[in-house]
Amino acid sequence: MKQAKQIFRDALLLTGAALLMRTVGVWFQIAISNRAGAEAMGLFSLMSGVYGFALTLATSGIHLGVTRMVTETVSRGREERVPGLLRRAVLFSLFFGCLAAILLASSAGIISRYWIKDDRVLLSLRLFAITLPLLSLSSVFGGYFTAVRRSSKSAVGQVCEQALRIGFCMYLLAFFAGNKTERILVALVLGGALAETLSFLLELILYLIDRRKNFPTKKGISAAAEGRELVRITLPVALTTYARSGLITLEHVLIPEGLRNSGATHAAALAAYGSIQSMALPIILYPAALIASFSGLLIPALAECRVLKSHVRIRYMISRVWHFSLLFSIGVAGILICFSTELGEVLYPGTDTARYLRLLAPLIPIMYVDTATDAMLKGLGEQFRSMIINIADAALSVVLVWILVPKFGITGYLVTIYISELFNTVLSIHRLLVVSKTTPKIFKWVYLPLLSVIGASFAAKGLLSLLPNPGNGKLAVCLHILLAAGFYLLFVTLSGSVGKEERAWIRTLFRKKDSDQEIVRETTDGTAIPQAPPAASSRAG
């Protein structure tokens, strides 16, 4: 229970920071989209795809490697080896960060001329390269803070970076960019680069203070074995990530080309692509901050259970994560479908965003559960298998984009998203079921929340239709969504999807005191339920 509380509290902190950043980020995305236009945002999305591949090369799986190795080293009682391990991680990240920066800067001309086919992105791509070594080092710091469960320090760096990014970008857009697309792109990239530099310096200071305080360097202590294990974990992940990221970049380059081949003009193709990537998807992924925060913290927790061979506890954690991920994501999907028109009108008036929200929202449970499942696979040492699935998914997406988009336009792209997401999630869930031998409860986890969100949506719409003037502004839309969410919480409780055991477990997360002992029993269906020790039998696990 103490571990669950620690994960819960860290996740609340990270979720609060992530939601704050995403709230401001979505507002910022709306502001720059309305300022720059869909075509410029389409170009920026294409650049971001290329930058994503370069960033993958720069980080090369080091975040996961540091998280896993620091957690396992501490769990085995070898704390004195952590400083040496971290030094090796820093050297590893510096090498790949500098390599990625050199490659991106030197190939920017070829990429802009032959891949993106628009010379307006040339200078922006070269500016992107500046931050790659810093972001690579930041991955080491982030992996360390995740492993030692001091997520507040990562959250501070993330919030500062977002605030600085918005400030710099808004200033540059107002006083430098004008109405030229090339200058708008440079302003966005340069503002982000300045923010990442200052945020890196803050994270570096926090990292050095924390490491010296908790893992002081001791002369004569070698971490050669841990360094080799770090490379053994990191390099397979890096190689598979390169392949996946390269395929994703190719996919995103092919999409506007396919749209043009379907009959759209260059500007219209970029606008349609920008409407999905820079307008609809940020809203779809906005609530995922909660899942992402918990997922990142699951890696060290499951890695520790794996070292200790706590198989029953592993099954219990997986069941809890899947259950609450589905509860949350099904509710989000239903509410977004219900209010997609209102959201599109208040956030992006005069665009097709509402239509894309309505079409993509059914994918939310699949996308969110896949995020949690990937994290749990990595925590259980299945990172290589997870990346193989991701590579197959990316390869399938490239083939589908190449075949479907030139024939069916934007509809072909939407079909591609559905097929690839389903493919990835089904394979990932199957692998986790095989590894953990967890037994899912489909009726309780899927059907009851689905019926509940349908009922909540109808109840909210029906109640709002009785009001003389429900309103259609941003505040009114927020109130409508909150009303639907309230009905959903009521219905999942009444239906039994959130039963007595779940409610008791949630209550224990908010208690200040907790027993040092915990008994875990396994039920006949394979799920693990923590039970209170005999001395405190009134407390739920």
Side-chain angles (χ1 to χ4, degrees), residues 70 73-74 78-87 144 215:
V70 172
T73 302
V74 173
R78 299 173 179 173
E79 291 87 349
E80 71 280 358
R81 297 176 181 266
V82 171
L85 169 65
L86 292 172
R87 283 195 298 272
Y144 167 78
F215 300 102

Side-chain angles (χ1 to χ4, degrees), residues 377-391:
L377 284 171
K378 291 173 183 175
L380 295 175
E382 293 289 321
Q383 65 273 1
F384 183 74
R385 186 65 65 94
S386 175
M387 286 308 305
I388 291 297
I389 294 172
N390 289 333
I391 289 173

Side-chain angles (χ1 to χ4, degrees), residues 84-367:
L85 169 65
L86 292 172
R87 283 195 298 272
R88 287 168 169 80
V90 166
L91 292 174
F92 182 96
S93 65
L94 275 176
F95 172 78
F96 283 99
C98 293
L99 176 63
I102 293 170
L103 290 176
L104 179 59
S106 60
S107 61
I110 296 173
I111 293 171
S112 62
R113 189 172 301 112
Y114 298 107
W115 282 27
I116 300 179
K117 298 182 179 179
D118 199 313
D119 289 334
R120 290 175 292 179
V121 304
L122 175 59
L123 180 56
S124 298
L125 285 173
R126 287 176 175 163
L127 288 173
F128 262 140
I130 297 173
T131 60
L132 290 174
L134 304 183
L135 290 174
S136 181
L137 286 170
S138 293
S139 293
V140 176
F141 307 155
Y144 167 78
F145 287 133
T146 300
V148 298
R149 294 171 189 169
R150 279 184 277 280
S151 304
S152 59
K153 297 182 179 180
S154 287
V156 168
Q158 293 169 11
V159 171
C160 289
E161 179 186 333
Q162 184 75 317
L164 291 168
R165 180 189 300 273
I166 291 171
F168 285 134
C169 288
M170 295 303 288
Y171 177 82
L172 291 171
L173 284 171
F175 298 103
F176 167 76
N179 294 320
K180 293 184 177 180
T181 299
E182 184 176 8
R183 283 177 168 262
I184 290 172
L185 297 176
V186 169
L188 294 176
V189 175
L190 185 58
L194 292 171
E196 286 162 356
T197 301
L198 294 177
S199 175
F200 163 78
L201 294 175
L202 175 61
E203 286 187 344
L204 174 62
I205 293 170
L206 294 174
Y207 164 77
L208 291 175
I209 293 173
D210 189 277
R211 201 208 69 184
R212 288 174 182 173
K213 177 181 177 182
N214 295 282
F215 300 102
T217 303
K218 295 181 180 179
K219 294 182 179 180
I221 299 297
S222 173
E226 285 76 12
R228 288 192 294 272
E229 183 67 13
L230 174 69
V231 173
R232 190 193 67 80
I233 293 173
T234 303
L235 280 185
V237 173
L239 292 173
T240 52
T241 307
Y242 300 157
R244 181 177 185 246
S245 183
L247 289 169
I248 291 173
T249 302
L250 176 61
E251 174 195 348
H252 286 283
V253 170
L254 288 174
I255 292 166
E257 182 70 21
L259 292 174
R260 287 192 291 269
N261 291 336
S262 71
T265 65
H266 180 70
L270 289 175
Y273 178 70
S275 295
I276 293 179
Q277 293 294 324
S278 300
M279 297 179 185
L281 281 178
I283 299 174
I284 293 289
L285 298 175
Y286 170 78
L290 178 64
I291 302 297
S293 299
F294 274 100
S295 299
L297 296 169
L298 285 172
I299 296 175
L302 286 170
E304 182 179 352
C305 290
R306 177 171 168 264
V307 170
L308 300 175
K309 297 183 179 180
S310 301
H311 302 298
V312 174
R313 191 177 298 275
I314 288 172
R315 283 191 286 273
Y316 173 71
M317 291 175 66
I318 291 172
S319 297
R320 279 274 184 252
V321 171
W322 269 344
H323 184 192
F324 284 100
S325 295
L326 285 166
L327 273 174
F328 177 72
S329 58
I330 289 172
V332 170
I335 292 171
L336 270 183
I337 292 171
C338 182
F339 295 101
S340 59
T341 301
E342 292 84 349
L343 277 170
E345 288 176 355
V346 300
L347 296 178
Y348 299 104
T351 68
D352 290 333
T353 305
R355 171 174 170 255
Y356 294 135
L357 281 177
R358 192 162 47 252
L359 292 172
L360 290 172
L363 270 178
I364 287 176
I366 297 169
M367 297 166 72

